[in-house]
PDB file of all heavy atoms in Angstrom:
ATOM      1  N   SER A   2    -231.740  -1.210 -20.291  1.00 43.00           N
ATOM      2  CA  SER A   2    -233.165  -1.213 -20.569  1.00 43.00           C
ATOM      3  C   SER A   2    -233.374  -1.077 -22.069  1.00 43.00           C
ATOM      4  O   SER A   2    -233.011  -0.079 -22.668  1.00 43.00           O
ATOM      5  CB  SER A   2    -233.844  -0.062 -19.844  1.00 43.00           C
ATOM      6  OG  SER A   2    -233.189   1.135 -20.179  1.00 43.00           O
ATOM      7  N   THR A   3    -233.908  -2.085 -22.676  1.00 42.00           N
ATOM      8  CA  THR A   3    -234.119  -2.044 -24.111  1.00 42.00           C
ATOM      9  C   THR A   3    -235.523  -1.537 -24.393  1.00 42.00           C
ATOM     10  O   THR A   3    -236.407  -1.615 -23.546  1.00 42.00           O
ATOM     11  CB  THR A   3    -233.979  -3.448 -24.715  1.00 42.00           C
ATOM     12  OG1 THR A   3    -234.748  -4.334 -23.912  1.00 42.00           O
ATOM     13  CG2 THR A   3    -232.544  -3.886 -24.743  1.00 42.00           C
ATOM     14  N   THR A   4    -235.706  -1.000 -25.584  1.00 43.00           N
ATOM     15  CA  THR A   4    -237.028  -0.512 -25.943  1.00 43.00           C
ATOM     16  C   THR A   4    -238.000  -1.681 -25.900  1.00 43.00           C
ATOM     17  O   THR A   4    -237.772  -2.705 -26.526  1.00 43.00           O
ATOM     18  CB  THR A   4    -237.015   0.075 -27.364  1.00 43.00           C
ATOM     19  OG1 THR A   4    -235.788   0.725 -27.549  1.00 43.00           O
ATOM     20  CG2 THR A   4    -238.165   1.004 -27.565  1.00 43.00           C
ATOM     21  N   SER A   5    -239.034  -1.490 -25.171  1.00 43.00           N
ATOM     22  CA  SER A   5    -239.982  -2.596 -25.054  1.00 43.00           C
ATOM     23  C   SER A   5    -240.794  -2.699 -26.334  1.00 43.00           C
ATOM     24  O   SER A   5    -241.158  -1.701 -26.954  1.00 43.00           O
ATOM     25  CB  SER A   5    -240.890  -2.355 -23.853  1.00 43.00           C
ATOM     26  OG  SER A   5    -242.217  -2.457 -24.233  1.00 43.00           O
ATOM     27  N   LEU A   6    -241.020  -3.918 -26.761  1.00 44.00           N
ATOM     28  CA  LEU A   6    -241.725  -4.132 -28.028  1.00 44.00           C
ATOM     29  C   LEU A   6    -243.168  -3.676 -27.937  1.00 44.00           C
ATOM     30  O   LEU A   6    -243.775  -3.304 -28.928  1.00 44.00           O
ATOM     31  CB  LEU A   6    -241.681  -5.622 -28.394  1.00 44.00           C
ATOM     32  CG  LEU A   6    -240.292  -6.133 -28.766  1.00 44.00           C
ATOM     33  CD1 LEU A   6    -240.305  -7.637 -28.918  1.00 44.00           C
ATOM     34  CD2 LEU A   6    -239.835  -5.462 -30.057  1.00 44.00           C
ATOM     35  N   THR A   7    -243.689  -3.700 -26.729  1.00 45.00           N
ATOM     36  CA  THR A   7    -245.110  -3.409 -26.587  1.00 45.00           C
ATOM     37  C   THR A   7    -245.395  -1.917 -26.542  1.00 45.00           C
ATOM     38  O   THR A   7    -246.526  -1.512 -26.738  1.00 45.00           O
ATOM     39  CB  THR A   7    -245.653  -4.039 -25.290  1.00 45.00           C
ATOM     40  OG1 THR A   7    -244.779  -3.662 -24.234  1.00 45.00           O
ATOM     41  CG2 THR A   7    -245.729  -5.529 -25.411  1.00 45.00           C
ATOM     42  N   SER A   8    -244.346  -1.073 -26.314  1.00 46.00           N
ATOM     43  CA  SER A   8    -244.647   0.346 -26.138  1.00 46.00           C
ATOM     44  C   SER A   8    -245.094   0.949 -27.461  1.00 46.00           C
ATOM     45  O   SER A   8    -244.490   0.711 -28.494  1.00 46.00           O
ATOM     46  CB  SER A   8    -243.445   1.091 -25.584  1.00 46.00           C
ATOM     47  OG  SER A   8    -242.500   1.238 -26.605  1.00 46.00           O
ATOM     48  N   PRO A   9    -246.126   1.785 -27.416  1.00 49.00           N
ATOM     49  CA  PRO A   9    -246.676   2.354 -28.639  1.00 49.00           C
ATOM     50  C   PRO A   9    -245.704   3.329 -29.291  1.00 49.00           C
ATOM     51  O   PRO A   9    -244.872   3.924 -28.618  1.00 49.00           O
ATOM     52  CB  PRO A   9    -247.939   3.089 -28.170  1.00 49.00           C
ATOM     53  CG  PRO A   9    -247.789   3.268 -26.704  1.00 49.00           C
ATOM     54  CD  PRO A   9    -246.857   2.211 -26.218  1.00 49.00           C
ATOM     55  N   ALA A  10    -245.816   3.462 -30.585  1.00 48.00           N
ATOM     56  CA  ALA A  10    -244.888   4.293 -31.341  1.00 48.00           C
ATOM     57  C   ALA A  10    -244.885   5.724 -30.828  1.00 48.00           C
ATOM     58  O   ALA A  10    -243.845   6.371 -30.781  1.00 48.00           O
ATOM     59  CB  ALA A  10    -245.263   4.281 -32.823  1.00 48.00           C
ATOM     60  N   ALA A  11    -246.037   6.202 -30.420  1.00 46.00           N
ATOM     61  CA  ALA A  11    -246.141   7.586 -29.951  1.00 46.00           C
ATOM     62  C   ALA A  11    -245.183   7.842 -28.796  1.00 46.00           C
ATOM     63  O   ALA A  11    -244.450   8.827 -28.785  1.00 46.00           O
ATOM     64  CB  ALA A  11    -247.568   7.880 -29.506  1.00 46.00           C
ATOM     65  N   SER A  12    -245.172   6.954 -27.836  1.00 48.00           N
ATOM     66  CA  SER A  12    -244.328   7.193 -26.670  1.00 48.00           C
ATOM     67  C   SER A  12    -242.854   7.081 -27.053  1.00 48.00           C
ATOM     68  O   SER A  12    -242.001   7.704 -26.441  1.00 48.00           O
ATOM     69  CB  SER A  12    -244.681   6.211 -25.550  1.00 48.00           C
ATOM     70  OG  SER A  12    -243.865   5.078 -25.616  1.00 48.00           O
ATOM     71  N   ARG A  13    -242.548   6.280 -28.080  1.00 47.00           N
ATOM     72  CA  ARG A  13    -241.162   6.171 -28.489  1.00 47.00           C
ATOM     73  C   ARG A  13    -240.682   7.508 -29.047  1.00 47.00           C
ATOM     74  O   ARG A  13    -239.594   7.959 -28.784  1.00 47.00           O
ATOM     75  CB  ARG A  13    -241.002   5.069 -29.537  1.00 47.00           C
ATOM     76  CG  ARG A  13    -239.664   4.366 -29.446  1.00 47.00           C
ATOM     77  CD  ARG A  13    -239.609   3.184 -30.388  1.00 47.00           C
ATOM     78  NE  ARG A  13    -240.653   2.200 -30.094  1.00 47.00           N
ATOM     79  CZ  ARG A  13    -241.078   1.312 -30.982  1.00 47.00           C
ATOM     80  NH1 ARG A  13    -240.613   1.286 -32.203  1.00 47.00           N
ATOM     81  NH2 ARG A  13    -242.007   0.441 -30.648  1.00 47.00           N
ATOM     82  N   VAL A  14    -241.541   8.174 -29.784  1.00 46.00           N
ATOM     83  CA  VAL A  14    -241.180   9.473 -30.341  1.00 46.00           C
ATOM     84  C   VAL A  14    -241.030  10.488 -29.214  1.00 46.00           C
ATOM     85  O   VAL A  14    -240.077  11.244 -29.156  1.00 46.00           O
ATOM     86  CB  VAL A  14    -242.255   9.943 -31.344  1.00 46.00           C
ATOM     87  CG1 VAL A  14    -241.934  11.366 -31.800  1.00 46.00           C
ATOM     88  CG2 VAL A  14    -242.298   8.997 -32.518  1.00 46.00           C
ATOM     89  N   ARG A  15    -241.965  10.478 -28.291  1.00 49.00           N
ATOM     90  CA  ARG A  15    -241.937  11.439 -27.192  1.00 49.00           C
ATOM     91  C   ARG A  15    -240.649  11.280 -26.366  1.00 49.00           C
ATOM     92  O   ARG A  15    -240.099  12.225 -25.868  1.00 49.00           O
ATOM     93  CB  ARG A  15    -243.181  11.240 -26.317  1.00 49.00           C
ATOM     94  CG  ARG A  15    -243.251  12.195 -25.151  1.00 49.00           C
ATOM     95  CD  ARG A  15    -244.692  12.469 -24.728  1.00 49.00           C
ATOM     96  NE  ARG A  15    -245.603  11.348 -24.874  1.00 49.00           N
ATOM     97  CZ  ARG A  15    -245.800  10.442 -23.913  1.00 49.00           C
ATOM     98  NH1 ARG A  15    -245.124  10.499 -22.805  1.00 49.00           N
ATOM     99  NH2 ARG A  15    -246.677   9.479 -24.102  1.00 49.00           N
ATOM    100  N   HIS A  16    -240.180  10.031 -26.253  1.00 51.00           N
ATOM    101  CA  HIS A  16    -239.008   9.807 -25.411  1.00 51.00           C
ATOM    102  C   HIS A  16    -237.683   9.974 -26.130  1.00 51.00           C
ATOM    103  O   HIS A  16    -236.650   9.945 -25.511  1.00 51.00           O
ATOM    104  CB  HIS A  16    -239.075   8.401 -24.797  1.00 51.00           C
ATOM    105  CG  HIS A  16    -239.991   8.337 -23.628  1.00 51.00           C
ATOM    106  ND1 HIS A  16    -241.043   7.467 -23.561  1.00 51.00           N
ATOM    107  CD2 HIS A  16    -240.035   9.060 -22.492  1.00 51.00           C
ATOM    108  CE1 HIS A  16    -241.698   7.655 -22.429  1.00 51.00           C
ATOM    109  NE2 HIS A  16    -241.105   8.620 -21.766  1.00 51.00           N
TER     110      HIS A  16
END
Side-chain angles (χ1 to χ4, degrees):
Chain A
S2 54
T3 48
T4 323
S5 128
L6 291 172
T7 50
S8 74
S12 93
R13 213 173 300 159
V14 174
R15 180 152 34 89
H16 281 124

